[in-house]
Amino acid sequence: MIPYLSDAMRFYLRDGVDWDTYFSMRKGAQTDAAIERDALAEIVDTAAKLCASLEPELRAGWAQAARLEQGEVVHPPHIARSYKALAEVGLVSFGVDEQYGGFGLPVLVTNTILQMISRADAGLMTVIGLQAGVADDIQMYASEELKQRYLPGFAKGELMGAMDLTEPQAGSDLGGITTRATEDGGKVFLDGNKIFITNGGSQVHLVLARDGE
């Protein structure tokens, strides 16, 4: 089997970024960039080994689909076990900052790990990729109260996320959506329809809508 962490990937991760400047800007001039680089390398190496170990069961289970039982989505066993294994080592919401229990990984590294997960199973990557994206949006745009409420759960793999985009008349064309969001008295009201939401069984949904005003 071709290694999950190839020489080309190692090259880009090692030499494709000025890590000294990156860590200095992000964590301060006193940060030991060498230690930080070694930590990133260890995380990526862990992801590569874990994805390689999960691949056989994931590929054997490709024909198994998720089920809807009493209104709850039940993932097939190979997806559930693989998700748990990745969550146990903190590899489900990569970009969540350390203060909320995550690794705060840079985008280059998160995309590398997502590529590995996708190679093992594209469906599992979709679940984790959406979850990571939802967590990133909450981290970037939400209030501190919402960050404290949700981000630790994302980092631990206790919460999954979905982005409610698709609409009957627009498909997944973001420019064609008509759902409106309006605020009144401190509350936000939604007016529209959403269908076929990927990872729709998640606990946290970000609804994509137009400003009603």
Side-chain angles (χ1 to χ4, degrees), residues 83 88 116 168 206:
Y83 179 90
E88 287 176 347
M116 295 176 184
L206 295 188

Side-chain angles (χ1 to χ4, degrees), residues 57 111 195:
E57 182 183 11
N111 285 342
I195 61 172

Side-chain angles (χ1 to χ4, degrees), residues 136-179:
D136 286 347
D137 283 348
I138 291 173
Q139 183 164 265
M140 183 173 293
Y141 299 110
S143 65
E144 185 59 32
E145 177 187 357
L146 291 178
K147 292 178 185 179
Q148 294 286 352
R149 183 187 304 176
Y150 292 112
L151 291 181
F154 275 106
K156 295 176 183 177
E158 297 171 350
L159 294 177
M160 290 186 180
M163 293 190 182
D164 297 4
L165 165 60
T166 304
E167 297 183 3
Q169 80 294 334
S172 295
D173 174 16
L174 182 59
I177 68 172
T178 60
T179 297

